Amino acid sequence: MDNKLSENEQIADEFFKTLSAGNYPALRLMFRSDAVWTVIAKSIPGSGDHTGPKGIVDDFLMPVRGMLVDGAPKLRITNSFSKGAWVAVETQALGALKNGKKYDNMYCWIIEIIDQKVKTVREYMDGGYVATLV
């Protein structure tokens, strides 16, 4: 990655490090109270909209990440760029599910950052692949 990240790219980078670490208390603090996280893929666990720090972290992320072995998945940023409040990030997620299946998926994230907090997350990934694993 380019060492000259914009301020919002730096916030997004920290966001993904925090998410990858499973640091839920710190992650909650990174969201605005009106935040919305949308999983674009249909018919997979967690699809649709999740709102507010509690709805995103406690009601969505913790249960979905709970399907994977502890500490998974690890997210590695492969590319990012930004324009204004919006940051686009490509990541690779690696890990294993508790059912023993390997997890290796590529993601594209569109993130809106307002006043140094995450307002919008749009999560794009291969939902068909996910459906074969759960």
Side-chain angles (χ1 to χ4, degrees):
M1 277 189 358
D2 185 353
N3 290 333
K4 296 180 182 180
L5 299 176
S6 71
E7 179 181 2
N8 284 343
E9 285 174 281
Q10 291 173 30
I11 292 168
D13 184 65
E14 187 60 32
F15 173 80
F16 284 107
K17 286 177 183 173
T18 305
L19 176 61
S20 189
N23 185 345
Y24 300 120
L27 199 60
R28 272 186 215 94
L29 297 174
M30 298 183 86
F31 287 103
R32 292 170 47 101
S33 62
D34 61 346
V36 177
W37 182 313
T38 304
V39 177
I40 302 299
K42 308 269 188 237
S43 302
I44 61 170
S47 63
D49 291 342
H50 309 278
T51 58
K54 181 189 179 307
I56 293 168
V57 176
D58 299 88
D59 301 336
F60 161 57
L61 288 175
M62 291 174 70
V64 168
R65 288 179 62 97
M67 297 171 65
L68 290 107
V69 298
D70 289 345
K74 294 296 182 200
L75 297 159
R76 180 178 63 86
I77 294 175
T78 58
N79 191 21
S80 70
F81 55 92
S82 63
K83 183 174 183 179
W86 294 93
V87 181
V89 181
E90 292 178 315
T91 64
Q92 181 179 22
L94 295 169
L97 282 88
K98 289 180 179 173
N99 66 13
K101 294 181 181 178
K102 178 183 169 187
Y103 189 77
D104 182 354
N105 206 351
M106 298 299 295
Y107 287 73
C108 181
W109 310 83
I110 307 298
I111 301 170
E112 181 184 23
I113 298 170
I114 305 291
D115 298 327
Q116 300 183 332
K117 291 203 174 226
V118 175
K119 179 177 186 208
T120 305
V121 176
R122 294 187 190 127
E123 175 184 345
Y124 299 84
M125 97 296 269
D126 184 346
Y129 168 71
V130 172
T132 67
L133 299 175
V134 295

